[in-house]
Amino acid sequence: MFRKHIALLTTLALMTGLISCFPKPAQNNPPTEPAAESVAESEAAETKEADEDKSSDDSSPAAEVKPNSNSKKTDVNWMETIQREKKALVFEDGMAQPILTYTNLRDSDYTNDGSDILRFCVYIETDHDTDGDGKADLVEALVQVPRAAAEGDFKAATIYDPTPYGAGTVNETEQNSKMLLNKTPFDYDKLYEPGQKRKPKGNMTTLEAAEIASPECWNYKVPVTGDIGYTYAQFYDYYLVRGFAVVEAGGIGTYGSEGFELCGFDLERDSHKCVVEWLTGKRTAYTDPYNNITIKADWSNGNVAMTGCSYGGTLPFEVATSGVEGLKTIIPFAGIASWYDYTNFQGVPRVNDAAYAYSLASYNSGAAFLDDQWTVVNDDYASFLWQFSEDQEATNGDYDDIWERLDYTLDPSKINCSALIVHGMNDFNVTTKQSDLMARAFESAGQPYKLVLHQNGHSTLDGMLINDELWQNIMNKWLSHYLYDVDNDIEDMPMVSVQSNVDGSFRTYDTWADFKYQTFEYDKKVNPDNFNHVDTTAIGSTFAKYYESTDEFGRESIRDNYYLSLPDSVHAKYVYEVPDNYTFTGVPEVHLKLSTKDVAKDGMVVSAMLLDTIDGEESFKAYMTKQRIYDTLPTRTFGAAETGGGLPYTKVKEYVQSNTTAKLITFGYTDLKNPGGGYEGKDYRRRTEEMNAGEYYDYTIYLMPTSYTFEPGHKAVLIITGWDPYNDILDEDFKNGLVTDSVDSSYTYAFNIDNEALEMRFPVIAGSPEDVDVATESELNREEIIATESDLKKKEIIATDSETKKE
């Protein structure tokens, strides 16, 4: 049931049974029964639809059919009265150029009448009935398409953002999600029951849908939070005015759609696959949830790119592994390839809640709630959430069947598209391992891909220069090539582009997979012993004291210095002298021999932190984020580029370095109970053989992929310790506030490190760094980028100091 929607009450003369979009009212209100429609016209429309599209499931058993309401048709089609010249796509310098005038879908008086861009919602029918109401789940999608494409001037390619957050999140539920759980076992097989397909009762063109579309379809307020609907609807305006269509959909279970939000399950993936299939003409969509009026993407050229950030960058990769026809390329920013490797590291949980994925599912589960206050949830969905939570928590960091369900790296053989994979090397939320796993999957599938690693955290690259070229222009070339077959040589861009931590320029490499490893001797004067003993007892109390401390200027202490401030009892320190300007790129490895007497315990975290420091705690410049989870780098706006189509100028920015005495370069974790594991998550299934107390075992901790240059006078410092309060808080005493700066935790374990066997392995891509192309200082094209403060103010795009800090 779509509690978001209610039928309009107005019925126009000469009704044909056509309806596009409903306002978003209070939930649980069913559509108002309309006046009777013209049976002859309805049957004629249905016959026409059946003749045009044999795959529209006309023969399926009839779902619940509601008579048509508020249908519109007038004697004179309003679109036909507009006199205009036909528009055509324009490509110059390998890029799509602005051809449309932008109209703002957020304007209070917005209408499609006279707009170069048409907006409306559709409801794509999936194959499964996850919510058990007997009908195939529908997925709501916001469509923004050039009028010229709808009127037949050209066929438009589609940029599809599948971010589940866009339609509206259940913020209140995230805090109280466990209170909503129904502690009843749930059989996942129930989710795979086929849903009864609807029987079409008529059809509508894009132009007809646009004529009656209501802005309330996207400009609604989300319950409780008051957030505006379709949060990301304006993220792709740059491409809209250049003739691309833009589609945004949250997938099954999200607010406005039907079914259950299943966070990582293949059914969630397949609901987005269905959207791609509608865009290629191979799946049925409806103009609304009730009246069974079909609508085709009659404007589409059948070529689709999927892109988004975080969760929105995850689903493009998942859909790519399905091999769906029409998906030509993906551009994931900070996306997840394996949910196991997002929630866990080498046999141990990496987040406070080992069952995080169930919490994320409930956070986006607007369709499953029965009231506007997000307090009453569908009983079956509450059971699913409980089962999902239990199954994840039971693994305690080990790879198990539940994680196998959510691992899209296992079979990349169906991938048949390209990928432009983007990730921030200071992203401590979704780590760079995820993009590395994506790159390996495309490598295995033999499909083209490029990897761009930048210095920011969890973010996109809009407004940034990549060796003198604005990111939007690079992405424009990529999309123009793969969606419109423009010959612009973008496919020949370097395999890997990595932003330097020294000067912000981008080094380029021709391979990502061909690592060679180098080792250095650690300084025996700093650590002269043959072994180190690490006892985790004081970690909680040390962190409690450090977290509340400030530096000499009253600023909160940063994570990077925490590891260097640990007492000797809880860590081992190894200092490496490396050559001046030494650069490593890839996946660093720490090889260890460890022993423990606490073999009866599980979830014993061993952490490895690689840092950059200077002797004497001298300060130096580095790209530093604050919270390490959500914060991004500070930026400086120094110019502007014309966007076109009547859009505001695009701010051109650069990342700003900060002073620090320590820089955390990369990190990794493993479980003392899982020796001998490899890089992939599937290597960390629960160990069945017993370990012998005091016996040494071999471990490799794979640090997060990155690239880093040590400037002259800098040293690499490796810290080996126990659990990391900034990441894996497995200590229940600590989480419950029982640990203070003077009260230790009961969660303790200890281990020994064989220093003679320890080896820190630095990866170097084939070809020394000196042989790699390095960008020179940017020489900006002054015709495209305005760089003076006075010009920026004239264009009303200059950022204030406070705005720059926020960015």
Side-chain angles (χ1 to χ4, degrees):
M1 175 65 68
F2 280 70
R3 293 167 301 281
K4 242 173 116 170
H5 307 285
I6 185 170
L8 297 173
L9 302 178
T10 305
T11 306
L12 299 183
L14 302 177
M15 180 186 301
T16 62
L18 305 181
I19 184 171
S20 175
C21 182
F22 295 98
K24 321 286 190 188
Q27 302 195 33
N28 251 353
N29 293 334
T32 304
E33 294 296 334
E37 64 176 311
S38 166
V39 176
E41 286 192 57
S42 176
E43 290 178 351
E46 181 180 348
T47 302
K48 180 181 178 182
E49 173 69 16
D51 290 340
E52 290 180 343
D53 187 3
K54 297 298 183 182
S55 64
S56 63
D57 296 308
D58 287 25
S59 59
S60 303
E64 178 185 1
V65 177
K66 290 187 178 293
N68 193 332
S69 70
N70 59 9
S71 308
K72 294 185 180 181
K73 185 176 181 179
T74 57
D75 289 323
V76 180
N77 190 318
W78 64 282
M79 269 72 73
E80 295 175 354
T81 66
I82 300 175
Q83 300 298 318
R84 61 171 186 82
E85 293 183 3
K86 286 191 174 182
K87 293 185 181 295
L89 296 166
V90 176
F91 298 93
E92 294 178 2
D93 300 323
M95 296 183 290
Q97 300 299 312
I99 60 171
L100 306 175
T101 300
Y102 179 71
T103 53
N104 192 340
L105 81 171
R106 299 300 187 197
D107 285 346
S108 59
D109 59 349
Y110 175 83
T111 173
N112 282 328
D113 190 358
S115 172
D116 271 3
I117 302 162
L118 304 178
R119 280 102 173 184
F120 55 94
C121 289
V122 300
Y123 300 83
I124 297 104
E125 191 170 55
T126 67
D127 294 324
H128 296 96
D129 174 26
T130 60
D131 58 12
D133 67 355
K135 296 179 292 185
D137 299 333
L138 295 177
V139 172
E140 183 184 78
L142 171 62
V143 179
Q144 302 185 75
V145 62
R147 172 191 296 281
E151 293 185 351
D153 291 1
F154 60 87
K155 293 291 187 181
T158 304
I159 299 170
Y160 174 29
D161 187 330
T163 307
Y165 308 130
T169 58
V170 190
N171 287 6
E172 291 296 318
T173 302
E174 186 184 31
Q175 301 172 11
N176 305 296
S177 53
K178 292 193 176 182
M179 297 173 59
L180 296 169
L181 301 185
N182 181 2
K183 297 182 179 180
T184 304
F186 185 85
D187 183 358
Y188 296 137
D189 289 342
K190 289 175 60 176
L191 299 170
Y192 293 83
E193 291 293 328
Q196 187 180 46
K197 295 298 182 70
R198 293 153 182 81
K199 186 174 182 180
K201 301 296 291 182
N203 61 80
M204 179 182 285
T205 67
T206 293
L207 291 175
E208 290 167 333
E211 179 183 3
I212 61 173
S214 167
E216 293 182 50
C217 181
W218 56 85
N219 283 339
Y220 56 88
K221 286 189 176 181
V222 178
V224 181
T225 68
D227 293 340
I228 193 71
Y230 284 101
T231 308
Y232 307 102
Q234 295 177 286
F235 275 32
Y236 304 98
D237 291 345
Y238 169 96
Y239 305 98
L240 270 176
V241 299
R242 286 163 169 76
F244 293 89
V246 174
V247 171
E248 182 182 348
I252 55 170
T254 58
Y255 190 48
S257 296
E258 291 180 338
F260 292 162
E261 216 289 347
L262 301 174
C263 193
F265 272 63
D266 55 358
L267 291 175
E268 179 192 39
R269 183 268 313 265
D270 289 349
S271 73
H272 293 281
K273 173 187 171 186
C274 290
V275 177
V276 176
E277 290 174 336
W278 175 68
L279 292 166
T280 59
K282 296 186 177 181
R283 185 162 291 271
T284 300
Y286 294 91
T287 58
D288 66 83
Y290 308 112
N291 291 281
N292 294 2
I293 305 300
T294 63
I295 181 169
K296 294 181 177 180
D298 49 21
W299 45 266
S300 172
N301 72 355
N303 295 336
V304 182
M306 292 184 70
T307 186
C309 184
S310 195
Y311 206 159
T314 299
L315 287 155
F317 176 73
E318 293 182 4
V319 175
T321 64
S322 75
V324 62
E325 184 179 344
L327 181 61
K328 300 300 183 179
T329 192
I330 65 172
I331 308 178
F333 296 86
I336 296 169
S338 164
W339 286 92
Y340 171 82
D341 290 286
Y342 174 67
T343 311
N344 307 274
F345 274 132
Q346 294 187 216
V348 290
R350 66 154 293 216
V351 292
N352 297 351
D353 187 354
Y356 174 77
Y358 102 88
S359 179
L360 191 57
S362 67
Y363 182 70
N364 291 288
S365 62
F369 284 81
L370 309 180
D371 68 321
D372 280 346
Q373 298 304 311
W374 308 127
T375 59
V376 183
V377 71
N378 178 293
D379 282 344
D380 280 346
Y381 190 61
S383 294
F384 163 77
L385 290 176
W386 179 81
Q387 189 69 59
F388 197 19
S389 172
E390 289 292 299
D391 289 346
Q392 292 172 83
E393 286 185 351
T395 67
N396 196 31
D398 294 320
Y399 192 89
D400 208 341
D401 292 347
I402 190 62
W403 296 118
E404 188 172 348
R405 281 182 178 271
L406 292 88
D407 187 348
Y408 290 88
T409 67
L410 298 178
D411 183 13
S413 62
K414 294 181 182 179
I415 295 176
N416 60 6
C417 65
S418 64
L420 179 56
I421 305 167
V422 185
H423 217 124
M425 290 180 287
N426 283 298
D427 190 341
F428 286 71
N429 180 356
V430 177
T431 67
T432 50
K433 181 176 181 178
Q434 299 294 337
S435 285
D436 178 53
L437 291 173
M438 289 186 190
R440 291 173 186 238
F442 274 82
E443 184 81 26
S444 175
Q447 297 298 327
Y449 73 93
K450 309 296 179 183
L451 183 62
V452 178
L453 299 176
H454 57 88
Q455 285 294 332
N456 207 351
H458 201 59
S459 69
T460 64
L461 278 174
D462 285 358
M464 305 305 299
L465 294 177
I466 311 298
N467 285 356
D468 301 349
E469 189 165 13
L470 189 67
W471 170 254
Q472 283 93 322
N473 292 347
I474 294 173
M475 192 163 156
N476 184 337
K477 290 179 182 178
W478 187 271
L479 293 169
S480 296
H481 175 73
Y482 284 103
L483 299 186
Y484 285 122
D485 297 322
V486 175
D487 186 7
N488 56 18
D489 297 327
I490 192 65
E491 72 275 19
D492 296 328
M493 70 180 284
M495 176 71 75
V496 184
S497 299
V498 181
Q499 189 173 21
S500 166
N501 61 286
V502 177
D503 62 9
S505 64
F506 279 79
R507 295 175 179 267
T508 60
Y509 299 86
D510 292 329
T511 180
W512 177 245
D514 189 14
F515 300 134
K516 295 181 179 179
Y517 283 90
Q518 295 180 337
T519 60
F520 301 96
E521 291 290 328
Y522 66 86
D523 188 344
K524 297 294 178 66
K525 295 179 181 178
V526 177
N527 191 340
D529 299 323
N530 292 330
F531 76 93
N532 279 101
H533 180 75
V534 175
D535 188 323
T536 66
T537 301
I539 287 180
S541 56
T542 299
F543 180 69
K545 182 178 181 179
Y546 182 84
Y547 194 72
E548 298 298 327
S549 66
T550 59
D551 64 16
E552 58 182 313
F553 301 105
R555 298 173 300 196
E556 63 184 59
S557 297
I558 61 173
R559 172 180 182 171
D560 308 64
N561 282 321
Y562 162 76
Y563 305 107
L564 298 177
S565 69
L566 290 171
D568 292 342
S569 63
V570 301
H571 83 290
K573 180 178 180 181
Y574 306 88
V575 177
Y576 296 88
E577 299 276 357
V578 294
D580 289 350
N581 297 312
Y582 177 73
T583 300
F584 71 87
T585 300
V587 183
E589 299 177 0
V590 182
H591 292 263
L592 299 159
K593 280 186 175 292
L594 306 175
S595 70
T596 182
K597 295 181 179 179
D598 297 313
V599 293
K601 297 180 180 180
D602 193 16
M604 295 183 289
V605 184
V606 179
S607 303
M609 309 292 169
L610 183 64
L611 299 104
D612 179 8
T613 66
I614 302 178
D615 282 344
E617 296 186 352
E618 291 184 31
S619 64
F620 57 93
K621 294 285 188 179
Y623 292 108
M624 306 291 293
T625 60
K626 286 183 64 178
Q627 295 296 328
R628 295 296 189 175
I629 296 295
Y630 303 108
D631 281 9
T632 53
L633 294 175
T635 62
R636 182 181 72 87
T637 299
F638 68 92
E642 187 172 358
T643 309
L647 287 164
Y649 276 63
T650 298
K651 294 179 183 179
V652 182
K653 300 173 289 185
E654 64 182 0
Y655 303 131
V656 176
Q657 294 182 325
S658 305
N659 288 319
T660 186
T661 56
K663 165 67 180 175
L664 177 59
I665 303 168
T666 185
F667 60 96
Y669 310 94
T670 195
D671 184 4
L672 272 171
K673 293 295 290 289
N674 275 287
Y679 183 67
E680 297 180 353
K682 64 183 180 181
D683 295 328
Y684 293 90
R685 287 190 176 272
R686 180 158 296 170
R687 182 184 175 94
T688 55
E689 61 270 29
E690 292 187 1
M691 294 179 65
N692 297 319
E695 182 176 336
Y696 279 91
Y697 293 88
D698 290 311
Y699 299 81
T700 298
I701 302 178
Y702 298 90
L703 308 187
M704 297 306 99
T706 193
S707 180
Y708 198 83
T709 297
F710 291 94
E711 296 184 76
H714 290 235
K715 296 181 179 180
V717 178
L718 176 65
I719 300 293
I720 304 295
T721 183
W723 63 278
D724 177 14
Y726 279 98
N727 223 333
D728 324 296
I729 301 182
L730 304 182
D731 185 343
E732 292 297 327
D733 287 353
F734 185 85
K735 283 193 286 187
N736 293 330
L738 302 179
V739 178
T740 68
D741 57 1
S742 59
V743 178
D744 291 325
S745 171
S746 60
Y747 174 67
T748 62
Y749 55 93
F751 56 91
N752 291 328
I753 305 170
D754 181 351
N755 289 340
E756 296 297 320
L758 183 138
E759 189 175 71
M760 175 71 232
R761 303 182 68 202
F762 294 92
V764 179
I765 290 181
S768 66
E770 290 75 19
D771 296 331
V772 179
D773 294 332
V774 182
T776 59
E777 185 72 22
S778 297
E779 292 295 333
L780 306 181
N781 185 335
R782 299 300 171 180
E783 294 180 359
E784 296 181 359
I785 299 177
I786 303 168
T788 68
E789 184 172 316
S790 59
D791 283 341
L792 290 174
K793 287 180 178 177
K794 289 177 184 178
K795 297 299 180 180
E796 297 182 347
I797 48 75
I798 190 166
T800 63
D801 289 341
S802 60
E803 288 173 336
T804 303
K805 290 175 182 176
K806 289 179 182 178
E807 291 173 342

